[in-house]
Amino acid sequence: MLHFIRATALGAALLLVPAASLSSAPEAVLRHAVVRTDAASPAPKKVAPAPLSEFGLDAAHDHEHASGLAPGQTAQDFEAWARRSPANIRELGAFRDYLAAQGLESVVPMWQLIRTSSSWRECDAQPFEVPPPDKWERIVKTLKFVRDDVIPSVGEVETLSAYRNGELNACSNGAPKSAHREFFALDLTPVNKALDRSEMIGSVCKAHARDGQTYNVGLGFYTGRRFHVDSSGFRKWGANGKGATSPCVNYG
């Protein structure tokens, strides 16, 4: 306390001393009067953001815009979305842990499993969304079919669209009970760009004929090299939604 009073008195006295006269002040006084920059509190350390490679971000591909990947759904866009909110990271972590418990966390890059719809901008929706936990089990059989049959047939695949909430599904002209809305469905495209559409169709149709019934798989094809798989009913369809027009009729 005595030290504090002395220091306060010294500070008050120095305020009354002209600046020029400080040069002639005793050395001991100057040592106490000058603010020591090396005694200042250190600046807080910046904490590096958590790595997102645990969600498969390091497995990003050259994206298939020609097959319908919408702008705003690239790996860089995902990273910005994930870091926007701690809640996003928490939900991603819980979803990853669930898939890991099923042995399915690396069938496709996990971050791609939360791409929503190609029409997310037009529908004023989010480009990424973690599905509700009560729907996670529905994607399990679909991913097993992708792992066991699709990838051995066409190589690695990229997920272009997965879960769509009810509002986005309606805006995207999806059926009220769309397999995307219930998180049974994935829209995929082969990573191997040397694989053309006809080769892809033949390979996937043969996989569907072989094991599609086992996994309860629905299979449809869009333009380019984009195709749909789900596990909500064994069926196949073509451009008009009918089985008779499915290109798979040529590969029975």
Side-chain angles (χ1 to χ4, degrees):
M1 183 65 180
L2 183 58
H3 177 75
F4 173 79
I5 294 172
R6 287 175 177 171
T8 303
L10 175 61
L14 285 172
L15 289 175
L16 301 176
V17 178
S21 65
L22 284 176
S23 60
S24 60
E27 183 179 350
V29 173
L30 288 177
R31 277 203 304 268
H32 290 287
V34 177
V35 176
R36 297 282 302 276
T37 56
D38 58 348
S41 300
K45 292 183 179 179
K46 291 184 178 180
V47 178
L52 295 179
S53 58
E54 59 188 300
F55 305 123
L57 195 62
D58 54 352
H61 308 298
D62 291 332
H63 305 290
E64 276 291 298
H65 290 287
S67 290
L69 178 65
Q73 291 184 314
T74 66
Q76 292 77 19
D77 296 315
F78 162 76
E79 184 170 6
W81 174 88
R83 298 202 189 285
R84 198 170 297 147
S85 166
N88 292 340
I89 300 292
R90 288 195 299 271
E91 291 174 2
L92 284 165
F95 185 38
R96 175 207 55 211
D97 292 346
Y98 176 82
L99 293 176
Q102 307 297 319
L104 298 170
E105 75 277 16
S106 58
V107 176
V108 295
M110 196 211 99
W111 70 273
Q112 296 175 5
L113 290 176
I114 64 166
R115 279 175 172 160
T116 55
S117 169
S118 299
S119 56
W120 70 271
R121 283 186 187 275
E122 296 88 330
C123 294
D124 194 25
Q126 290 293 318
F128 304 96
E129 182 177 355
V130 178
D134 63 353
K135 298 183 187 296
W136 291 353
E137 66 178 353
R138 298 173 184 176
I139 203 64
V140 167
K141 195 175 286 188
T142 306
L143 285 172
K144 287 181 177 178
F145 178 72
V146 172
R147 178 193 66 191
D148 298 342
D149 287 273
V150 173
I151 292 176
S153 299
V154 300
E156 289 183 74
V157 289
E158 178 174 4
T159 304
L160 301 174
S161 177
Y163 173 68
R164 302 172 194 161
N165 63 49
E167 185 176 348
L168 177 56
N169 182 67
C171 179
S172 302
N173 296 317
K177 294 186 178 180
S178 166
H180 282 283
R181 178 178 179 177
E182 300 304 320
F183 198 40
F184 285 108
L186 301 174
D187 289 351
L188 304 168
T189 191
V191 171
N192 178 12
K193 295 189 184 334
L195 186 72
D196 65 26
R197 174 178 167 83
S198 61
E199 290 176 305
M200 178 201 73
I201 289 175
S203 297
V204 176
C205 286
K206 289 175 183 176
H208 185 255
R210 180 176 62 249
D211 285 332
Q213 194 161 11
T214 300
Y215 291 99
N216 208 30
V217 171
L219 174 65
F221 294 92
Y222 301 104
T223 59
R225 302 190 311 146
R226 180 172 180 148
F227 63 99
H228 167 114
V229 295
D230 65 59
S231 57
S232 62
F234 178 59
R235 66 211 189 282
K236 59 194 177 199
W237 63 90
N240 65 353
K242 304 294 184 181
T245 60
S246 167
C248 290
V249 297
N250 300 317
Y251 301 95

